[in-house]
């Protein structure tokens, strides 16, 4: 069993896509283990995206992810990290296949609807940044 952190980013929340996105995970057989709507602080955003600190798009990324509430969730299941990444589609929506979340709902890399952890180490760090153990079921 693996757990991964998923965010429906502010653009996905603004487009009323929370339910649609959760439905895709649930239909696949993955389980929601924690769920809440939160407005991320700048500090939390910088920690979440620490691997991108120093890149030219870092400030824009932090501004965007803090621009409105996100739907934060832990998705759990067999190989959940990779399964979620495949359901999300490629980082640049222009390369995301139709049928994937980004391939169906996004056009720009800066506003690509959804986040999913990219490995076990990042999943553990990202989950701790959003949820206390008591919030996980
Ligand atoms: P992913 O979200 O698929 O894990 P990532 O971790 O490489 O992709 O980057 C995090 C986010 O940063 C990504 O969802 C959108 C933004 N981003 C990545 N590369 C970018 C670029 N070249 N220009 C603008 N934004 C970018
Ligand atoms: Mg990433």
């Amino acid at each position: 069993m693996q757990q991964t952190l998923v965010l429906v980013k502010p653009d996905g929340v603004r487009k009323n896509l929370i339910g649609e996105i959760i439905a895709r995970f649930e239909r696949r057989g993955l389980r929601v283990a924690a769920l809440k709507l939160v407005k991320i602080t700048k500090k939390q955003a910088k920690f979440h995206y620490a691997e991108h600190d120093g890149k030219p798009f870092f400030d824009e990324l932090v501004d965007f992810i803090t621009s409105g509430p996100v739907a934060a969730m832990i998705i759990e299941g067999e190989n959940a990290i990779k399964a979620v990444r495949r359901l999300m589609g490629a980082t640049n929506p222009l390369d995301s296949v139709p049928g994937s979340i980004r391939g169906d709902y996004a056009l720009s890399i800066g506003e690509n609807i959804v986040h999913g952890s990219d490995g076990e180490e990042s999943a553990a760090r990202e989950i701790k940044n959003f949820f206390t153990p008591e919030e996980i079921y």
Side-chain angles (χ1 to χ4, degrees):
M1 271 307 164
Q2 263 183 350
Q3 291 187 332
T4 184
L5 182 87
V6 170
L7 302 176
V8 179
K9 296 183 183 182
D11 55 333
V13 174
R14 278 193 286 270
K15 290 176 175 167
N16 298 326
L17 291 172
I18 299 170
E20 167 66 32
I21 290 167
I22 292 175
R24 289 173 181 231
F25 299 140
E26 290 190 325
R27 281 203 301 258
R28 191 68 189 278
L30 297 162
R31 188 179 82 82
V32 178
L35 175 64
K36 63 184 167 186
L37 207 59
V38 283
K39 185 118 186 293
I40 318 185
T41 64
K42 296 268 180 197
K43 190 179 165 193
Q44 199 179 2
K46 286 178 182 171
F47 184 78
H48 178 73
Y49 280 129
E51 63 179 294
H52 299 299
D53 196 353
K55 292 184 186 169
F57 57 86
F58 184 69
D59 290 347
E60 197 184 321
L61 189 56
V62 170
D63 285 346
F64 169 61
I65 203 75
T66 57
S67 67
V70 303
M73 65 196 83
I74 297 172
I75 296 294
E76 183 182 273
E78 203 175 313
N79 298 306
I81 295 171
K82 187 170 185 190
V84 164
R85 296 282 301 185
R86 297 281 292 174
L87 286 165
M88 284 165 47
T91 303
N92 186 342
L94 293 179
D95 297 323
S96 309
V97 290
S100 66
I101 294 165
R102 288 165 170 171
D104 285 349
Y105 298 114
L107 268 178
S108 116
I109 191 167
E111 301 202 355
N112 60 9
I113 306 280
V114 71
H115 167 85
S117 310
D118 66 5
E120 285 187 4
E121 213 171 294
S122 52
R125 186 175 56 82
E126 292 171 8
I127 285 170
K128 269 198 209 145
N129 192 30
F130 280 86
F131 293 98
T132 64
E134 293 73 32
E135 291 175 309
I136 304 170
Y137 294 92

